[in-house]
Amino acid sequence: QVQVVESGGGLVQPGGSLRLSCAASGSIFGITFMGWYRQVPGKQRELVAAITSGGRINYADSVKGRVTISGDSAKNTVNLQMNTLNAEDTAVYYCKIGGSRWSKNYEYWGQGTQVTVSS
């Protein structure tokens, strides 16, 4: 049984910072992808940032320069440092862990953590 748990969300004022953390536990091997997504009501879930086992990093245009993703596939953790937050960053943030084992691809999602940017 694999569990993915996010933490670090909360209420922050515009211009502030938050650090989100994600940890996967259980029998998980062959991680190739770790990413953060976000979703607001009525909209599709969107990619915020992702990192692959090869070290490739992608950021959504809306967060470039403000967000840094860091991951440790050996520890099954991925973090998201978010700076200069604004109201448009308000969303539920989800962590996704993906990979391959025995030639089968898998992905696990966390339950999400709420980030609210408001004065």
Side-chain angles (χ1 to χ4, degrees), residues 12 14-15 21 35 44-45 55 59 61 63 65 71 78 86-87 89-90 100-101 103-104 110 116:
V12 63
S21 297
Q44 284 192 325
R45 193 172 296 186
Y59 294 106
D61 288 342
V63 303
V78 58
N86 58 62
D89 296 314
T90 296
S100 179
R101 188 181 184 195
S103 300
K104 294 181 92 172
T116 302

Side-chain angles (χ1 to χ4, degrees), residues 17-72:
S17 298
L18 275 178
R19 182 178 176 83
L20 305 183
S21 297
C22 170
S25 61
S27 181
I28 185 167
F29 302 93
I31 293 175
T32 58
F33 176 95
M34 296 186 287
W36 285 94
Y37 293 72
R38 66 186 181 187
Q39 188 170 24
V40 297
K43 291 191 175 182
Q44 284 192 325
R45 193 172 296 186
E46 63 175 6
L47 176 70
V48 177
I51 184 168
T52 69
S53 56
R56 185 170 185 173
I57 294 176
N58 288 318
Y59 294 106
D61 288 342
S62 59
V63 303
K64 278 181 182 175
R66 302 188 295 118
V67 164
T68 302
I69 188 171
S70 59
D72 188 336

